[in-house]
Amino acid sequence: MMIEQPAFGRRLRQLRLQRGLSQSDIAGDEVSASYVSRVESGQRSPNDLIAAFFARRLDVPLEALASPGSQDTGELRSRRLDMAGRLLEARALRKDNELADAAELLRGIGAEAGAGAEEDVLWEAAWDLADILRELGNAAEEHAVLSGLAETPLSQETPRLAARVATALSKNLLRQGRPGEAVRTAEHAVSVTVALPPTAHERVGAMLALVNSYADSGELENASSLADTLQEIVEDIPSRQLRGQVYWAVGSARFSCERPQDATRLHEQAFTCLHPEANLAAWARLCRASAALRLEYDPSDDAAQQAAQLLARARQALELVGRYDDMADLMLAEAQLALRLEQPERILELTAKVWEGGAELPLAGQGKCQMLAARAHALAGDIEAAKGCYRHAAEILDRAGAYRKSSEAWRQLSELLATGP
């Protein structure tokens, strides 16, 4: 039988993916996975015996593998066009902020997985679904979708896609209060981008996820070292938005390493890149994050005044475009400001509002909320309530893997037991 390349290789890849098989699965003991790869790319043409072997591995007649019929090709094309049309419809719904309807449409596309001819459309549908679930605050389903994406052949065979999925997974884990897992996932994202240029979007994005994970997990030396690397390349990054994200992350790492002057300067550079006109939500989150870090690491009066101004701007914006988790983080930052101003009643008012939605708040956020409540009770002289909140905070932060902050909670509880208010 005449084997025509690259048509044979394309059909081999299509049928392999349709059955959920890897190149190693097809290769078996007869040939190597690299040989299968070269056949699929059209670089090698198999003889009749090897072609028949592939057909047996796929459980199809040799004729179906070597000479697909025009009717089959037409059906696949029609199916692909239908799925692409629904993907565009979902994107239009998302643009109109009909997020739940867009997610349901994308779930329907994903339910049809298994036809290799549409693997790229299926990948995009799953990626869009994960992004929408993030906006909806559904971290558990987002994690499941991203984990499935990581296992697809497209992700495993394409470093840029693999890095994007791993980076998104790391961010998801960090939002869930699982910094240790976030670190490992971000390290994987960085490892698959080593062959890309230093300023490639996927490589920089992976490093950003890793430096944030290091900082949250208390690995401050690693965070500082990676921040140095990012600072060396930031001016060469072509995207202004991405440069702003780098300045933001590097500045946050400097705050964690107790270098507030350097950190404040870097955050100011982030503000010059992240304009509210371009992305109001990102700008507001930077305002909130920068304010919270200034309050935590800079004891000066100027820092408190700057934080108050930043929080006022963040509230104005987030009341328009913020999600539940944005508003919870904002109220925790406002509680930090109230702590600086020694206003225990205000702290307890804000932390109570946050705790009302505690079922959706990440573990790290719950721990921070309890820490602030403990300090407010201590400030008000209610020692028993403060002890309970410190103990609760330490236990939550332990479960979240935030061991540095957990140790701080245990230390403050110990000091309170020893010395009183």
Side-chain angles (χ1 to χ4, degrees):
M1 179 176 291
M2 179 67 69
I3 303 297
E4 296 183 1
Q5 284 285 44
F8 181 91
R10 286 198 296 265
R11 182 61 173 167
L12 175 63
R13 175 179 169 81
Q14 178 189 97
L15 291 173
R16 173 176 68 79
L17 294 174
Q18 187 174 347
R19 285 154 176 76
L21 300 173
S22 68
Q23 291 175 337
S24 297
D25 293 332
I26 295 295
D29 297 327
E30 300 293 323
V31 296
S32 66
S34 61
Y35 177 81
V36 176
S37 177
R38 290 194 293 273
V39 171
E40 289 186 348
S41 65
Q43 297 174 16
R44 293 293 298 272
S45 183
N47 59 34
D48 289 349
L49 288 175
I50 296 297
F53 167 73
F54 286 149
R56 290 195 301 274
R57 300 291 287 181
L58 292 166
D59 194 25
V60 297
L62 179 56
E63 293 77 12
L65 181 59
S67 305
S70 60
Q71 182 179 359
D72 185 40
T73 303
E75 289 176 358
L76 289 172
R77 176 177 173 79
S78 176
R79 173 184 166 87
R80 176 184 175 82
L81 290 173
D82 174 64
M83 294 174 69
R86 283 183 286 157
L87 176 60
L88 291 174
E89 182 183 353
R91 287 174 174 172
L93 286 168
R94 181 183 182 183
K95 187 176 181 181
D96 292 339
N97 207 34
E98 302 289 346
L99 300 183
D101 290 340
E104 194 59 33
L105 191 55
L106 291 167
R107 290 189 189 99
I109 296 174
E112 300 179 19
E118 301 89 26
E119 60 173 329
D120 54 338
V121 181
L122 288 166
W123 196 98
E124 289 192 53
W127 178 256
D128 284 8
L129 175 59
D131 209 31
I132 289 173
L133 291 169
R134 177 187 57 78
E135 292 186 56
L136 290 171
N138 191 339
E141 188 181 356
E142 179 200 0
H143 186 272
V145 172
L146 289 170
S147 297
L149 262 184
E151 298 299 320
T152 62
L154 269 181
S155 294
Q156 294 181 345
E157 297 169 10
T158 313
R160 287 182 183 270
L161 298 185
R164 287 192 176 196
V165 174
T167 298
L169 264 172
S170 177
K171 293 177 179 178
N172 172 275
L173 290 164
L174 208 56
R175 287 195 299 274
Q176 292 190 61
R178 296 156 64 181
E181 295 173 72
V183 165
R184 292 191 294 274
T185 307
E187 286 175 340
H188 171 68
V190 171
S191 72
V192 298
T193 63
V194 291
L196 299 178
T199 57
H201 194 285
E202 292 81 6
R203 187 168 181 178
V204 174
M207 288 192 289
L208 283 174
L210 184 53
V211 75
N212 288 330
S213 299
Y214 279 149
D216 268 37
S217 64
E219 299 182 41
L220 301 185
E221 186 174 341
N222 287 336
S224 180
S225 176
L226 188 54
D228 290 341
T229 301
L230 283 165
Q231 197 165 353
E232 288 172 3
I233 65 170
V234 62
E235 289 301 324
D236 297 324
I237 296 172
S239 165
R240 187 177 70 183
Q241 289 289 313
L242 190 57
R243 285 201 306 276
Q245 294 287 339
V246 171
Y247 282 126
W248 179 351
V250 174
S252 298
R254 301 298 186 226
F255 269 120
S256 299
C257 296
E258 299 185 357
R259 293 166 55 183
Q261 291 183 335
D262 290 345
T264 301
R265 176 177 54 80
L266 288 161
H267 274 192
E268 293 304 323
Q269 288 180 283
F271 279 114
T272 66
C273 298
L274 297 175
H275 294 166
E277 296 83 2
N279 189 331
L280 182 59
W283 176 83
R285 290 169 191 140
L286 172 58
C287 288
R288 189 268 311 159
S290 187
L293 288 164
R294 291 171 202 231
L295 289 167
E296 186 169 358
Y297 293 104
D298 188 343
S300 68
D301 291 338
D302 286 345
Q305 292 173 358
Q306 293 164 0
Q309 293 170 356
L310 288 169
L311 289 174
R313 295 171 193 163
R315 176 164 284 280
Q316 284 183 323
L318 290 175
E319 285 177 346
L320 294 174
V321 298
R323 305 186 304 262
Y324 165 78
D325 56 338
D326 288 322
M327 297 307 297
D329 287 339
L330 175 65
M331 286 189 285
L332 290 177
E334 290 173 334
Q336 284 181 264
L337 178 61
L339 180 64
R340 178 71 72 90
L341 300 176
E342 298 188 355
Q343 299 172 341
E345 296 85 359
R346 175 64 174 159
I347 301 168
L348 293 172
E349 175 191 348
L350 289 163
T351 53
K353 286 181 180 178
V354 172
W355 199 254
E356 288 173 3
E360 299 178 30
L361 194 66
L363 283 174
Q366 293 179 31
K368 184 176 183 178
C369 186
Q370 287 295 304
M371 282 283 283
L372 285 163
R375 288 167 177 160
H377 285 304
L379 192 62
D382 190 344
I383 304 307
E384 290 306 312
K387 290 176 185 177
C389 287
Y390 273 130
R391 185 174 290 106
H392 197 188
E395 292 168 351
I396 292 172
L397 292 166
D398 267 338
R399 295 205 307 274
Y403 301 118
R404 182 172 62 91
K405 293 181 179 178
S406 171
S407 297
E408 181 185 349
W410 287 121
R411 179 183 60 78
Q412 294 197 15
L413 174 60
S414 177
E415 290 177 358
L416 193 63
L417 290 169
T419 63

